[in-house]
Amino acid sequence: MPRHFLRDDDLTPAEQREVLDLAVAFREDRTVRTPLAGPQGVALVFDKPTLRTQVSFSTGVAEMGGFPLVVDGRLAQVGVRESVADVTRVLDRQVSAIVWRTFGQDRIEEMAAVSRVPVVNALTDDYHPCQLLADLVTIAQHRGGLDALPGQRLVYVGDAANNMAVSYLLAGATAGLHVVVCGPDGYLPTDDVVARADGIAATTGGSVAVTTDAAAAVVGADVVVTDTWVSMGDEDEATQRVADLLPYQVTPDLMAGAKDDALFLHCLPAYRGKEVAGEVIDGPRSVVWDEAENRLHAQKAVLTFLLEQR
């Protein structure tokens, strides 16, 4: 059976480190490994709007010697015009891996259950694991290397129930970080997610915490992170969400509570004046453009890892 990457804790701490090491190698030499030479195809299926995911996976597959086959999920109507299983059985006979950016986590799990090739979660409503690999590479890039990751205090502020907050808890704990997610009541992660992350942290020396106090949370932070307040599919709730989350905007005053050299991360797209002030995302502490580039290197690394497990 192939290995899949459907959520952050699909990788053990040792496996995550192996992938991160490979991502660094790809950043230093973008064609250091070419496991898709042939070229072999990789299906890139997009149900949701995309920029960074499509560009980074398409470029990455090509640099790995493969052919990126982009499938517009809205035209294919996966799960509507044809079942997820039927689509998967068509694809896995013709490509070496499937990357899917979709809505429900149940959809990608259904695909992985029948696929004969690796399936990669490029984003679902529940998790964004490829982004977290890129974020860890970015933190390491600005902290002296991957060995500096354990012990970093990362504070996520905003909608702490969304896929990014969940992935920070799981992937951050796996890397040995001290992860704090902060948001208002009604925007906090489930007890199940926190328990899973806490269990991982107990094995890596990391820790996880949840709070509603943003000012207290960022004290001593090495990294401050936020994400859009209105995720894809939540547009009908935009007005209420902005009202609820406005006190959690990452402003210069909030950043002043973190360490003087604290980094600012955002997976993008960003909405200046809402979840983050322009002075922060466009300021000297922001590393969001390195973060966006590192999607390329991290995704090449995880694809290589999965392909080599076959």
Side-chain angles (χ1 to χ4, degrees):
M1 294 293 292
R3 282 289 300 271
H4 305 297
F5 188 47
L6 308 184
R7 63 189 212 185
D8 305 84
D9 50 350
D10 281 341
L11 297 178
T12 67
E15 289 171 339
Q16 184 196 69
R17 178 57 189 259
E18 181 180 344
V19 170
L20 295 177
D21 280 330
L22 187 52
V24 171
F26 272 121
R27 191 178 65 215
E28 294 172 353
D29 179 353
R30 286 169 60 157
T31 56
V32 67
R33 305 268 280 276
T34 54
L36 292 169
Q40 300 174 52
V42 174
L44 310 177
V45 187
F46 299 112
D47 294 344
K48 290 188 173 185
T50 178
L51 171 63
R52 280 153 296 279
T53 302
Q54 182 170 343
V55 171
S56 55
F57 268 113
S58 295
T59 302
V61 168
E63 291 181 349
M64 294 165 69
F67 176 77
L69 174 66
V70 176
V71 179
D72 186 333
R74 291 165 295 186
L75 289 178
Q77 297 183 53
V78 183
V80 177
R81 181 169 173 265
E82 294 183 79
S83 70
V84 171
D86 284 356
V87 169
T88 305
R89 293 183 179 107
V90 170
L91 293 175
D92 73 4
R93 289 170 177 259
Q94 302 182 57
V95 299
S96 295
I98 304 170
V99 175
W100 197 8
R101 180 179 173 92
T102 189
F103 294 90
Q105 181 72 12
D106 59 317
R107 289 164 62 79
I108 202 163
E109 290 179 355
E110 183 180 355
M111 174 176 280
V114 299
S115 178
R116 301 181 301 177
V117 300
V119 174
V120 176
N121 179 353
L123 177 142
T124 62
D125 294 342
D126 291 351
Y127 306 97
H128 200 352
C130 289
Q131 180 68 57
L132 260 292
L133 293 175
D135 290 2
L136 292 171
V137 170
T138 305
I139 296 167
Q141 181 179 354
H142 291 271
R143 289 289 184 255
L146 294 172
D147 289 340
L149 282 177
Q152 290 282 304
R153 178 177 172 85
L154 183 147
V155 179
Y156 173 95
V157 180
D159 179 359
N162 74 3
N163 54 3
M164 285 301 299
V166 169
S167 281
Y168 275 115
L169 286 167
L170 295 172
T174 302
L177 273 63
H178 300 299
V179 181
V180 181
V181 296
C182 177
D185 288 330
Y187 295 83
L188 299 176
T190 65
D191 291 343
D192 173 67
V193 166
V194 176
R196 282 164 48 200
D198 191 56
I200 296 169
T203 71
T204 63
S207 66
V208 298
V210 179
T211 181
T212 58
D213 189 336
V218 301
V219 173
D222 298 291
V223 185
V224 178
V225 192
T226 192
D227 186 22
T228 179
W229 292 339
V230 184
S231 298
M232 288 170 282
D234 294 333
E235 291 81 4
D236 291 344
E237 306 169 11
T239 300
Q240 186 63 54
R241 282 176 162 270
V242 170
D244 292 342
L245 291 161
L246 190 59
Y248 294 83
Q249 183 185 81
V250 179
T251 63
D253 285 346
L254 187 68
M255 288 294 295
K259 289 184 178 178
D260 290 343
D261 64 346
L263 305 174
F264 173 75
L265 271 66
H266 190 310
C267 68
L268 305 176
Y271 300 92
R272 292 162 176 82
K274 291 188 177 177
E275 73 272 9
V276 61
E279 302 97 305
V280 174
I281 193 170
D282 299 317
R285 297 188 184 189
S286 175
V287 292
V288 299
W289 311 119
D290 289 337
E291 183 184 6
E293 177 194 333
N294 282 326
R295 287 284 300 277
L296 169 67
H297 312 309
Q299 288 161 183
K300 289 165 69 175
V302 78
L303 274 172
T304 299
F305 172 82
L306 295 174
L307 291 166
E308 291 179 349
Q309 302 299 305
R310 292 183 300 179

